[in-house]
Amino acid sequence: MSYKFVYLFSEGNGNMRELLGGKGANLAEMTNLGMPVPQGFTVTTEACTQYYKDGQEINDDIKAQIFDHMKKMEEISGKKFGDPENPLLVSVRSGARASMPGMMDTILNLGLNDEVVEGFAKKTGNPRFAYDSYRRFIQMYSDVVMEVGKKYFEELIDEMKEKKGVTLDTELDADDLKELANQFKAEYKAKLGVDFPTDPAEQLMGAVKAVFRSWDNPRAIYYRRMNDIPSDWGTAVNVQMMVFGNMGDTSGTGVAFSRNPSTGEKGLYGEYLMNAQGEDVVAGVRTPQPISHLKETNPAVYEQFCNIVDTLEKHYRDMQDMEFTIEEGKLFMLQTRNGKRTPAAALQIACDLVDEGMRTPEEAVAMIEPRSLDALLHPTFDTKALKAATPVGSALPASPGAACGKVVFTADDATEWTTQKGEKVILVRLETSPEDIEGMNYAQGILTVRGGMTSHAAVVARGMGRCCVSGCGDIKINEEEKVFTLGGKTFHEGDYISLDGSTGNIYGEAIPTVEASISGNFDRIMKWADEFRTLNIRTNADTPRDAKQARSFGAEGIGLCRTEHMFFDSDRIKAMREMIVSDTVEQREAALAKLLPMQQGDFEALYEAMEGCPVTIRFLDPPLHEFVPTEEDDIAELAKEMGKTVADIKAIISGLHEFNPMMGHRGCRLAVTYPEIAAMQTKAVIQAALAVNARHADWNIVPEIMIPLVGEVKELAYVKSVVTKTADEVIAAAGAELTYKVGTMIEIPRAALTADEIAKEAEFFSFGTNDLTQMTFGFSRDDAGKFLGAYYDKKIYESDPFAKLDQVGVGKLVKMAAELGRATRPDIKLGICGEHGGDPSTIEFCHKVGLNYVSCSPFRVPIARLAAAQAALNNK
Ligand code: PEP
Ligand code: MG
């Protein structure tokens, strides 16, 4: 027997996601639970991988297995594929392990052609329905398989409605729809130069191929990169017997959630449309009815549905997102999955499931996607400003949050305005489609004219945690002219608007926003997370404001204070420049003496903000040319101050030029050439700690002095000797006691390779993975963006190595250095302070390597707390 690439629903189960994809596994599970599921089969994710191995071809073995299973479906249904007398029609749908917008979704009614549709009309006694199904099939097949744009078909429908003087598609009769089917086929031929395929077998293979192909379209690749989904997973394909929601007024189709996906509130939530097929609900062609309405119109089906929902929720122990169809009064379940939800709803649901006894706190913590918390940490509207503002309109609150920005009308503009012009934008669209995904991600918020709570815009925005208001039918929009009107006001590209994704209100002005805070469910989940994690979480902060913010988010210390950021303020930069252009040690010391009190004040404020928690202060790091003046006025002023000519100063500045500054005179090399800089910084660190300890009897600040860019133990030994001599003198002079630590960053490959030697001097290591990545890959952290795009396209790299740690290469150095360091000094403290410190997958790696802490930017502290807990739970 050949390898099995196809499974009947009755052969699978819910644990087979990897092989059957999420949709396939859940259809199998519902089948096993005895639920009314139209039967079918799943072509596995392995078949998809094989398709790519075979040069994007479906091999004969897989083809044979597919048709063999079509035969089995014929037996189950008593119908025949392609038989006009008694036709079997199927839907073809994609289904990856993780649900993925951007991929081919659905083709319905496959198996129809001119002949079959005639027979189908006769057999059902409902020609209107038969032709409606046919024209839909041609439309979907053309759009999703052959990528002929939807809009050509929509235009033909609109023309037909106009010709017939009707407004709803349900008012078109059988002849109109037959005529439309012919027009669609003609359109297909005009666009593609070939006839629409009449052979159902050819249609089926075309559809399966299209699903496989869509795994690798640019939208899907972008989504995968955003969500850390590996490209070798592949997608499954589900082929399922059709049931029809468009058979007339006793048929319908809908989407429902077992809890509100926006708020998490318990209770059935959803919408449906009678006499319609699935895509009508999602596309927002007609406005759907709320699910509660079904209770009045069809109480028996409603009750059956509620029972199924209840069973499914208890079975999966999570909020379910379901699709169903009612065919002539009979209910069928087409899909269930753990529903996508807003970050706020995710917290609410996780807490409720614990309270309802369905989940343990460990499971609740594991249910939350750490990065989704980001959306909760972002601003909401300033309450006063919001009260003073009057909405110009309102629509569906599709995804919560507050957004304020300039209007743009295309996804490309959203991307460009944000990345190139640094603008904050709101994307306003008639409706969004999968190709808009990148622009939607860049926009602050999304406003659509069409579409319900389950429209593309709503679903995708919720997944991204992006604010979205959808279905604002009051808007008159002209996307080409880039203008819309609402509430008697006209808005052009670049005008400010604000959106409240929690109420659905739209404001024709900029409304200021305020920072978020952690409370309620958020706090509860965080406290659970803290119980389970073993990693400490610190923050990268250079200002008291950032430090306070991080502290309020739960930071347990500062892992990196980049002291150079303190030198750019207008009152300090002058002294810094004097220091740089000094000729003698005395001149330099005089300039540094001006900086000392300022720096000491900064450190005191940082210690205060961190309330006695550990603070790591990194000594001056960047190349000095970053500080020198470029403006003539500033150069002249500096010359005057230093008693030099403008030409002298210019000569000094040009002498600082380096061909490769990131590998030049920076980091500890500055302290080796100018030890007085390290001495001043040491004084500031120690005096600040003495002062703050004196003010707080219960605090015992142990400052951690961190020497950057060390590659050789003797470098560190030298700078450390300057630090300890200075520190010990200051402490002795104060007649006080103070413990302090001296450690280093591991951010040069040579430091990682010789970490056993370096640990003889260093009391702690902090992995500076920004530089370590740069130097290990040998490409610039500032310029790599220029070519990395090509690397993603060619699948050489799947993600940005500056955002997500390259565990294979850079990670090997981290692991090795951690082991070498501990071998020399068993109690050495190990942490990470590169950007990777806030990335969940890197945090799991750090947990496994046994680091003591991760340090990240303030807004990523809660994400890191949760990710650290999940790492601990996953690796128990
Ligand atoms: C690093 O290199 O990872 C680091 C934290 O230092 P910086 O980004 O300041 O170079
Ligand atoms: Mg660095």
Side-chain angles (χ1 to χ4, degrees):
M1 212 190 90
S2 66
Y3 189 77
K4 193 167 167 63
F5 283 110
V6 183
Y7 288 74
L8 287 174
F9 293 164
S10 55
E11 292 175 308
N13 66 56
N15 297 325
M16 293 167 74
R17 296 181 73 86
E18 291 187 13
L19 193 60
L20 303 180
K23 196 173 293 171
N26 288 337
L27 282 165
E29 190 75 7
M30 283 200 290
T31 300
N32 295 340
L33 289 168
M35 290 178 175
V37 176
Q39 286 302 291
F41 59 81
T42 304
V43 187
T44 64
T45 54
E46 290 176 351
C48 179
T49 319
Q50 189 63 42
Y51 159 88
Y52 281 103
K53 266 194 213 142
D54 293 339
Q56 308 211 13
E57 284 301 330
I58 299 181
N59 70 35
D60 290 343
D61 178 23
I62 296 174
K63 249 185 231 168
Q65 293 193 36
I66 290 174
F67 286 108
D68 184 42
H69 283 76
M70 279 307 288
K71 283 257 146 6
K72 293 186 181 169
M73 264 173 87
E74 289 178 345
E75 282 159 27
I76 297 170
S77 64
K79 297 178 182 175
K80 245 180 115 142
F81 195 44
D83 176 6
E85 300 297 314
N86 185 21
L88 170 63
L89 302 185
V90 296
S91 67
V92 177
R93 315 177 84 186
S94 63
R97 265 195 242 182
S99 91
M100 263 179 53
M103 269 169 45
M104 195 206 94
D105 189 29
T106 306
I107 296 171
L108 302 177
N109 315 330
L110 188 140
L112 285 172
N113 57 31
D114 286 356
E115 229 186 313
V116 173
V117 74
E118 288 281 339
F120 191 49
K122 258 191 222 133
K123 179 156 171 66
T124 55
N126 190 344
R128 189 203 173 274
F129 153 68
Y131 284 100
D132 185 47
S133 303
Y134 191 30
R135 68 92 192 163
R136 286 169 187 276
F137 168 54
I138 301 169
Q139 196 175 345
M140 272 185 270
Y141 193 90
S142 309
D143 177 29
V144 300
V145 177
M146 304 309 292
E147 291 163 14
V148 181
K150 254 206 291 267
K151 68 169 194 212
Y152 302 107
F153 301 97
E154 304 285 359
E155 279 167 15
L156 289 170
I157 297 174
D158 286 344
E159 278 169 28
M160 179 64 81
K161 284 200 253 183
E162 206 172 303
K163 196 172 116 197
K164 306 293 291 188
V166 300
T167 52
L168 293 177
D169 48 357
T170 43
E171 294 170 301
L172 295 173
D173 66 20
D175 287 339
D176 302 335
L177 294 163
K178 186 173 181 175
E179 168 64 20
L180 267 180
N182 286 331
Q183 289 178 1
F184 285 4
K185 279 187 296 178
E187 185 68 35
Y188 182 95
K189 180 146 193 200
K191 286 275 170 327
L192 297 170
V194 291
D195 285 318
F196 189 82
T198 53
D199 175 10
E202 186 189 338
Q203 294 170 355
L204 179 63
M205 292 322 292
V208 174
K209 255 193 187 176
V211 173
F212 286 162
R213 204 172 54 224
S214 73
W215 174 254
D216 243 356
N217 73 30
R219 303 182 298 272
I221 293 173
Y222 180 75
Y223 183 86
R224 282 204 289 276
R225 221 175 46 238
M226 256 171 56
N227 292 281
D228 276 342
I229 298 175
S231 68
D232 59 7
W233 277 7
T235 178
V237 186
N238 298 291
V239 179
Q240 189 173 23
M241 219 182 291
M242 279 303 304
V243 284
F244 297 95
N246 58 334
M247 261 198 172
D249 293 338
T250 58
S251 301
T253 188
V255 189
F257 297 86
S258 59
R259 294 171 197 241
N260 184 319
S262 273
T263 63
E265 193 190 343
K266 209 179 159 174
L268 196 55
Y269 182 87
E271 47 199 16
Y272 72 105
L273 265 178
M274 292 313 273
N275 200 8
Q277 278 197 317
E279 80 279 6
D280 297 343
V281 183
V282 181
V285 175
R286 279 183 274 145
T287 303
Q289 299 279 0
I291 193 92
S292 53
H293 189 74
L294 190 63
K295 191 176 184 175
E296 285 143 44
T297 56
N298 201 334
V301 165
Y302 182 78
E303 197 192 317
Q304 186 193 1
F305 184 63
C306 287
N307 287 336
I308 288 177
V309 172
D310 193 49
T311 309
L312 285 174
E313 213 194 60
K314 292 207 169 97
H315 185 73
Y316 287 102
R317 301 185 300 134
D318 198 356
M319 186 265 267
Q320 295 300 292
D321 164 3
M322 296 146 297
E323 286 177 25
F324 63 93
T325 284
I326 305 165
E327 185 185 83
E328 303 201 302
K330 197 164 178 275
L331 176 69
F332 291 94
M333 297 300 295
L334 300 187
Q335 172 173 330
T336 192
R337 60 179 172 194
N338 293 341
K340 289 222 184 302
R341 59 204 79 182
T342 64
L347 298 177
Q348 181 71 49
I349 291 169
C351 289
D352 285 350
L353 291 177
V354 171
D355 293 339
E356 291 164 29
M358 261 195 262
R359 292 274 180 179
T360 62
E362 281 93 335
E363 288 173 325
V365 162
M367 281 174 83
I368 314 280
E369 162 61 43
R371 274 177 307 193
S372 73
L373 296 180
D374 193 45
L376 297 174
L377 297 168
H378 285 297
T380 48
F381 286 127
D382 173 72
T383 353
K384 253 204 191 141
L386 188 63
K387 264 206 184 128
T390 317
V392 286
S394 79
L396 297 173
S399 182
C404 168
K406 292 183 176 172
V407 170
V408 293
F409 289 88
T410 70
D412 286 345
D413 284 342
T415 306
E416 196 187 310
W417 284 46
T418 313
T419 56
Q420 321 262 315
K421 302 186 191 168
E423 296 279 8
K424 293 189 166 167
V425 302
I426 307 257
L427 177 61
V428 183
R429 302 279 285 150
L430 198 54
E431 60 197 340
T432 64
S433 63
E435 50 271 34
D436 294 338
I437 183 164
E438 186 169 2
M440 291 171 74
N441 192 32
Y442 279 116
Q444 303 292 309
I446 297 143
L447 172 61
T448 68
V449 181
R450 288 198 202 143
M453 293 294 282
T454 49
S455 65
H456 177 268
V459 171
V460 171
R462 277 201 294 272
M464 290 173 170
R466 198 67 72 256
C467 162
C468 175
V469 174
S470 72
C472 185
D474 295 338
I475 289 182
K476 299 275 168 299
I477 190 169
N478 185 331
E479 291 186 313
E480 252 113 72
E481 304 269 305
K482 303 195 168 177
V483 62
F484 77 88
T485 57
L486 177 65
K489 271 186 146 183
T490 304
F491 298 90
H492 297 276
E493 184 180 60
D495 290 346
Y496 269 107
I497 61 167
S498 300
L499 301 180
D500 188 334
S502 310
T503 60
N505 282 339
I506 303 157
Y507 301 87
E509 64 202 272
I511 304 177
T513 52
V514 287
E515 305 290 334
S517 74
I518 293 184
S519 60
N521 294 326
F522 199 156
D523 194 37
R524 213 171 153 206
I525 295 278
M526 283 294 125
K527 292 211 165 100
W528 282 329
D530 291 346
E531 276 174 39
F532 307 137
R533 70 182 159 90
T534 53
L535 273 172
N536 282 342
I537 311 298
R538 294 197 188 184
T539 190
N540 293 357
D542 319 321
T543 64
R545 183 171 172 272
D546 283 357
K548 275 194 198 119
Q549 178 69 266
R551 184 84 186 120
S552 78
F553 286 155
E556 298 162 303
I558 289 180
L560 173 64
C561 164
R562 292 175 165 106
T563 47
E564 58 270 16
H565 291 173
M566 300 168 161
F567 293 132
F568 283 102
D569 284 357
S570 54
D571 57 334
R572 297 147 193 233
I573 189 75
K574 274 192 203 156
M576 189 66 190
R577 287 170 178 166
E578 288 169 30
M579 195 274 293
I580 292 169
V581 300
S582 294
D583 294 321
T584 63
V585 173
E586 290 71 31
Q587 275 179 351
R588 225 175 349 263
E589 282 177 338
L592 286 164
K594 292 186 195 171
L595 288 170
L596 174 62
M598 302 182 204
Q599 186 110 101
Q600 182 179 331
D602 292 334
F603 296 149
E604 286 185 32
L606 274 188
Y607 296 147
E608 293 279 358
M610 290 316 285
E611 304 171 307
C613 292
V615 174
T616 304
I617 288 169
R618 201 257 316 263
F619 277 11
L620 191 66
D621 181 59
L624 296 180
H625 76 86
E626 287 190 12
F627 299 96
V628 295
T630 50
E631 303 288 325
E632 290 292 333
D633 289 359
D634 295 336
I635 294 174
E637 196 188 327
L638 182 59
K640 199 168 152 217
E641 189 70 36
M642 298 299 288
K644 289 181 189 289
T645 66
V646 165
D648 286 341
I649 298 290
K650 285 189 174 170
I652 294 172
I653 292 173
S654 64
L656 289 170
H657 172 79
E658 292 178 298
F659 283 103
N660 224 332
M662 281 308 260
M663 300 176 83
H665 195 188
R666 60 174 283 227
C668 67
R669 296 158 205 159
L670 294 170
V672 171
T673 33
Y674 306 121
E676 48 283 5
I677 301 177
M680 182 283 283
Q681 293 202 288
T682 304
K683 266 191 206 149
V685 166
I686 300 295
Q687 288 173 3
L690 289 168
V692 174
N693 275 345
R695 288 201 283 271
H696 300 273
D698 52 337
W699 293 4
N700 177 24
I701 291 165
V702 180
E704 298 172 352
I705 292 172
M706 180 154 79
I707 311 302
L709 228 68
V710 164
E712 155 60 45
V713 66
K714 288 189 202 137
E715 267 178 319
L716 176 61
Y718 172 72
V719 181
K720 188 179 165 186
S721 71
V722 175
V723 170
T724 50
K725 180 170 177 288
T726 312
D728 294 346
E729 279 171 11
V730 172
I731 295 167
E737 295 229 338
L738 184 81
T739 324
Y740 64 94
K741 290 198 167 96
V742 183
T744 186
M745 297 186 71
I746 302 288
E747 52 183 344
I748 288 185
R750 194 177 187 282
L753 295 165
T754 61
D756 47 348
E757 289 297 313
I758 290 180
K760 288 181 185 158
E761 296 292 337
E763 292 172 272
F764 63 88
F765 288 168
S766 178
F767 290 95
T769 44
N770 303 333
D771 275 311
L772 192 60
T773 299
Q774 163 168 268
M775 304 218 200
T776 302
F777 277 88
F779 52 58
S780 159
R781 54 196 271 191
D782 302 308
D783 298 319
K786 290 187 186 142
F787 55 79
L788 278 178
Y791 276 68
Y792 304 142
D793 291 346
K794 305 204 159 77
K795 300 216 178 102
I796 298 172
Y797 300 136
E798 282 196 1
S799 59
D800 179 356
F802 291 105
K804 181 177 165 188
L805 189 77
D806 156 46
Q807 295 182 16
V808 178
V810 181
K812 195 184 249 181
L813 286 173
V814 171
K815 184 161 183 280
M816 183 173 96
E819 284 163 3
L820 289 174
R822 283 217 165 100
T824 299
R825 190 189 284 266
D827 65 346
I828 192 166
K829 202 185 276 176
L830 303 173
I832 181 176
C833 65
E835 276 310 300
H836 309 85
D839 166 65
S841 72
T842 308
I843 292 171
E844 173 149 22
F845 172 81
C846 293
H847 173 89
K848 286 198 231 165
V849 171
L851 301 195
N852 300 93
Y853 69 86
V854 299
S855 187
C856 57
S857 60
F859 278 90
R860 294 215 278 179
V861 166
I863 296 171
R865 287 164 74 189
L866 185 58
Q870 292 182 351
L873 292 169
N874 287 343
N875 295 281
K876 240 183 187 167

